[in-house]
Amino acid sequence: MNEMQGLFKIAVLPGDGIGPEVTAEAVKVLKLVEEITGPRFRFHSGLIGGTALDATAVPLPAETISICNNATAILLGAVGGPQWDSKRREIRPEQGLLQLRQRMGLYVNLRPAKVLDSLIGLSALKPERVRGTDLLIVRELMGGIYFGNPRGIFAKNGGRVGINTEIYREHEVERVAHRAFQLARLRRRKVTSVDKANVLETSRLWRDVVTRIGRSYADVELEHLYIDNCAMKLIDEPARFDVILTSNMFGDILSDEAASLTGSIGLLPSASLGERTALYEPVHGSAPDIAGRNRANPVASIASAALMLRYSCRMENAAAAIEAAIEKVLKRGARTPDMQGKKRAVTTSRMGDLIAAETQKLLKSSKFRAA
Ligand code: IPM
Ligand code: MG
């Protein structure tokens, strides 16, 4: 069997910290989806990050690369933890993820952030300010200062210098810009491109290229903001944004800021797309302080699995059912400790069970039954 016949090979890379716990809940939901809908999933697990370092001395073992090369999609948990923090850069857990993005050619990272009415009280901002916020960050993922050379820490004149280099090639900006405009067409048709063109050459090039590409999407409104101004507007008027298109580094920062608008970083999923395969992972990290205690929020991981169904498996119905199930369960008041407030919290696995059961119910209802 292959994809055409409804078999999807999914690489599952749980990683470190809370990664394994939250990924298990996403797999649980996918298995239930499989029971009801036609397509089948075959899961192959691999090591990445600190756990891979401990077992194989590298953060991205060859076997994991080969599992991912053979997969329709990759579902990842999280990488990193204090026990590996003192390692030099090449052998830090984060390198596993960064190398995987490079190896798989994942150049665009989508990070949707939506403020749910039922969770509005959890936002760092006042309800009247965040209400209606529904934005999508489109982050360039394979270039910029994360990967430019020269880089390193060098001895010079009796002291040390640290060097990183931001590089953007025209085609790197073009391809991510196209994706942003295409995605905006499925939403409210507005792209905010974010840069620092008043200071940086890479940003001036970015702005030029985005403006040019924007001309072929005349139905999409394009505006440019400087990163500092955008960071402020995201707090002042978050609901004004639709698609935010930006570089690797700025996107990293803005996506954490956007997460705090929604009430908990434990809610936000992400998709990293290239031409061949795609990677789905929560925006949150490995949260070592709560790892292994059944306290982590599995929503971001389950929502990442929904994105996987949408973008890699073309199972829009199932994706929408999972998203609706998440909203319903949250609306009914289920809260993991990160979003607890005054209510009694549920565990990671309980939250997963609730969402799985609701997804199943919705998939059986006429609204979501596969057409
Ligand atoms: C993220 C993370 C990663 C990044 C780290 C873990 C390398 O912060 O996905 O936002 O900076 O891209
Ligand atoms: Mg980040």
Side-chain angles (χ1 to χ4, degrees):
M1 273 219 308
N2 57 31
E3 264 177 44
M4 300 294 288
Q5 295 153 324
L7 178 81
F8 295 105
K9 288 186 191 160
I10 313 294
V12 180
L13 314 182
D16 308 323
I18 59 170
E21 297 160 66
V22 296
T23 309
E25 299 311 309
V27 170
K28 185 191 274 176
V29 173
L30 288 174
K31 286 190 171 154
L32 274 183
V33 168
E34 186 179 39
E35 276 177 24
I36 300 172
T37 60
R40 316 232 56 86
F41 305 117
R42 191 163 294 155
F43 299 100
H44 301 266
S45 24
L47 296 173
I48 193 166
T51 21
L53 272 172
D54 289 348
T56 69
V58 291
L60 184 67
E63 195 192 329
T64 302
I65 298 173
S66 121
I67 291 172
C68 294
N69 273 331
N70 284 312
T72 307
I74 306 160
L75 196 60
L76 187 133
V79 294
Q83 65 269 52
W84 303 286
D85 267 355
S86 56
K87 297 266 198 304
R88 42 174 230 282
R89 177 174 63 84
E90 297 75 22
I91 51 164
R92 285 179 60 104
E94 290 80 358
Q95 280 304 309
L97 180 55
L98 296 170
Q99 287 169 17
L100 189 63
R101 290 173 180 168
Q102 289 287 328
R103 289 275 194 152
M104 301 295 136
L106 307 172
Y107 61 83
V108 54
N109 182 222
L110 312 182
R111 299 190 161 182
K114 186 171 164 187
V115 172
L116 301 178
D117 278 342
S118 58
L119 295 183
I120 210 159
L122 297 179
S123 172
L125 300 183
K126 294 190 198 84
E128 58 274 22
R129 202 170 267 204
V130 281
R131 185 163 290 119
T133 298
D134 179 2
L135 57 87
L136 173 67
I137 296 181
V138 177
R139 169 188 178 196
E140 198 291 323
L141 203 59
M142 273 178 70
I145 198 165
Y146 270 52
F147 297 103
N149 282 306
R151 67 181 300 159
I153 301 177
F154 305 98
K156 201 167 183 187
N157 304 333
R160 291 185 303 157
V161 280
I163 301 181
N164 289 95
T165 307
E166 170 142 301
I167 301 182
Y168 268 115
R169 296 171 184 84
E170 207 158 12
H171 79 271
E172 293 174 320
V173 185
E174 280 169 10
R175 62 187 182 181
V176 71
H178 277 295
R179 291 282 190 133
F181 285 108
Q182 286 156 9
L183 287 158
R185 280 188 168 156
L186 304 173
R187 300 173 48 99
R188 301 194 305 279
R189 292 174 190 262
K190 180 172 170 192
V191 170
T192 303
S193 175
V194 178
D195 60 41
K196 188 72 185 171
N198 49 346
V199 178
L200 304 175
E201 279 72 19
T202 43
S203 282
R204 287 211 343 246
L205 180 83
W206 181 279
R207 195 174 275 225
D208 267 11
V209 174
V210 172
T211 305
R212 173 166 56 74
I213 302 292
R215 288 193 198 109
S216 39
Y217 297 86
D219 54 323
V220 179
E221 182 193 337
L222 169 64
E223 69 169 344
H224 300 275
L225 291 181
Y226 296 136
I227 175 66
D228 47 350
N229 189 20
C230 179
M232 182 174 72
K233 285 206 161 63
L234 209 46
I235 301 287
D236 284 346
E237 328 161 50
R240 77 187 282 293
F241 291 100
D242 181 17
V243 171
I244 297 180
L245 163 64
T246 192
S247 66
N248 205 343
M249 176 72 128
F250 295 156
D252 180 44
I253 299 167
L254 290 180
S255 58
D256 271 25
E257 191 184 348
S260 121
L261 302 175
T262 66
S264 171
I265 196 166
L267 299 167
L268 297 195
S270 82
S272 304
L273 314 175
E275 306 299 346
R276 283 187 296 129
T277 183
L279 168 82
Y280 300 88
E281 57 170 326
V283 169
H284 64 67
S286 61
D289 51 320
I290 57 163
R293 291 166 54 197
N294 209 6
R295 287 174 62 90
N297 187 347
V299 166
S301 183
I302 296 171
S304 299
L307 293 181
M308 181 187 93
L309 296 181
R310 171 168 300 129
Y311 294 121
S312 289
C313 310
R314 303 197 181 281
M315 293 171 65
E316 176 57 35
N317 265 337
I322 295 175
E323 287 164 352
I326 291 173
E327 288 198 23
K328 279 209 159 164
V329 166
L330 293 174
K331 198 166 175 188
R332 268 190 231 127
R335 301 280 183 271
T336 40
D338 55 297
M339 46 178 181
Q340 184 184 15
K342 290 193 187 71
K343 297 199 178 104
R344 241 189 57 176
V346 300
T347 61
T348 308
S349 47
R350 174 82 184 134
M351 185 61 115
D353 288 341
L354 291 170
I355 295 170
E358 191 59 41
T359 302
Q360 198 165 29
K361 209 164 104 192
L362 288 174
L363 277 176
K364 285 182 178 159
S365 75
S366 54
K367 187 161 169 225
F368 289 97
R369 206 171 293 141

